[in-house]
Amino acid sequence: MKSFVYALFLCFLFIISCEEKKSASQKEISEPVEQKTELNNWQPLFNGTDLDGWTMKIMGYPLGENFGNTFQVSDGILSIRYDAYGDDFNNRFGALYFNEKLANYRLKVEYRFVGETAPGAPEWGFRDSGVQFHSQSPSSLKADQPFPVSLEYNLHGGNGADERPVGEICANGIFVELNGQQNTSYCSPPTLKRTFHGDQWVTLEIEVKDGKITHFTNGEEILSYSNPTYNPEHEIAKTLIVNGDTSVKDGYISLQSNSHPIDFRKIELLKY
């Protein structure tokens, strides 16, 4: 009798164990795979301590020369400053390039404008910067080339009174399709307009996936377009066309130094 009761008890434990494993398996299956990717695969591109993994190119200076300590890191913040530029910015536009060429991804960047525009900067330089992507490599830029062939998520900061929406698409040497039509101007405004005044932190996101590109600001979708192609009549862009294929499938990302001080802190990438 005791042997029968003991065997029955072991059988009971075995059934409970099987049910627990089944429940755990069902729970794992029910969790969205996309959500796991979002949580687990964001890659920090800025380590908070130095510019490891990035290369600067400033017009008029060799690749990798950080003239005037334009790009600097302190207290976990990547800052762009012009204190050593003197009284004339003199069109010394530049950018800090991430060293890896990218194709399908989602980029997330936190930024804020601070301080005053550098003396001698163009009028449009006030609280203006940008995140460039699908860019030609920094090593391929000419010595006197101010901007790369690229797309740009343009950054505008408010002046305290007027609307200056962030997130327009600027295309240098590249065409895109907006609402099924090829762009006809260098910059095109966002569909959803948001202006941020003062020195507040703002989060931008750029999603690049299979020829479709979407801009986000603080989690809101503000613009979408597609099918980037090189302009065959652009002096530099035409040199990037291979075997007659004008489509732009990949490129480098960079942070502009456009004459107004700006800070970046969290820079993250999610690859697809």
Side-chain angles (χ1 to χ4, degrees):
M1 184 66 179
K2 288 183 179 180
S3 298
F4 174 80
V5 172
Y6 182 72
L8 188 63
F9 177 74
L10 290 179
C11 182
F12 177 74
L13 290 179
F14 177 78
I15 293 173
I16 291 178
S17 177
C18 289
E19 287 298 318
E20 287 178 346
K21 289 181 179 179
K22 180 180 178 181
S23 177
S25 176
Q26 289 176 340
K27 182 178 180 181
E28 289 178 0
I29 293 173
S30 67
E31 290 179 353
V33 174
E34 184 176 352
Q35 184 178 10
K36 286 186 176 181
T37 301
E38 288 279 340
L39 291 174
N40 297 332
N41 289 350
W42 280 101
Q43 169 191 354
L45 302 188
F46 169 52
N47 61 23
T49 58
D50 55 36
L51 298 177
D52 184 45
W54 298 78
T55 302
M56 63 285 300
K57 177 65 180 75
I58 300 171
M59 193 176 80
Y61 299 90
L63 177 68
E65 181 175 336
N66 192 10
F67 166 75
N69 199 28
T70 301
F71 304 98
Q72 50 190 266
V73 178
S74 179
D75 298 326
I77 294 177
L78 193 166
S79 299
I80 299 178
R81 297 291 187 268
Y82 310 96
D83 301 333
Y85 281 55
D87 295 329
D88 190 1
F89 180 72
N90 195 26
N91 294 328
R92 286 175 284 193
F93 302 106
L96 184 66
Y97 293 79
F98 182 60
N99 292 340
E100 181 183 346
K101 181 184 282 189
L102 301 169
N104 291 304
Y105 57 89
R106 186 161 177 144
L107 178 70
K108 183 186 298 183
V109 179
E110 293 183 12
Y111 74 93
R112 67 178 178 186
F113 285 103
V114 296
E116 302 295 329
T117 312
E123 184 177 349
W124 55 260
F126 171 78
R127 288 188 174 245
D128 181 280
S129 187
V131 176
Q132 297 168 149
F133 58 101
H134 273 352
S135 168
Q136 68 181 109
S137 67
S139 61
S140 68
L141 266 71
K142 297 181 178 180
D144 60 349
Q145 185 178 342
F147 304 104
V149 171
S150 65
L151 298 178
E152 177 196 342
Y153 183 123
N154 186 245
L155 302 181
H156 279 156
N159 59 16
D162 304 313
E163 291 303 311
R164 302 187 77 232
V166 66
E168 64 184 357
I169 171 60
C170 297
N172 185 29
I174 297 178
F175 292 126
V176 297
E177 290 183 5
L178 291 152
N179 299 318
Q181 300 293 321
Q182 183 175 286
N183 63 306
T184 56
S185 59
Y186 186 83
C187 293
S188 303
T191 304
L192 185 63
K193 297 174 172 58
R194 294 288 184 264
T195 297
F196 300 95
H197 301 286
D199 298 349
Q200 61 181 299
W201 287 100
V202 182
T203 300
L204 71 87
E205 291 181 73
I206 304 167
E207 184 176 67
V208 179
K209 193 170 185 179
D210 299 329
K212 181 180 178 182
I213 302 169
T214 308
H215 291 189
F216 299 85
T217 297
N218 284 351
E220 290 185 297
E221 179 178 327
I222 61 169
L223 181 64
S224 182
Y225 50 95
S226 61
N227 299 327
T229 57
Y230 290 120
N231 178 358
E233 297 182 0
H234 188 278
E235 178 184 1
I236 301 174
K238 66 183 180 182
T239 67
L240 304 175
I241 299 173
V242 179
N243 297 325
D245 183 5
T246 62
S247 61
V248 184
K249 301 181 178 69
D250 54 24
Y252 294 84
I253 63 173
S254 64
L255 311 174
Q256 284 185 334
S257 55
N258 261 8
S259 72
H260 196 105
I262 188 170
D263 291 335
F264 298 91
R265 54 181 183 188
K266 187 177 291 185
I267 305 173
E268 297 180 317
L269 183 76
L270 179 66
K271 291 182 180 180
Y272 294 135

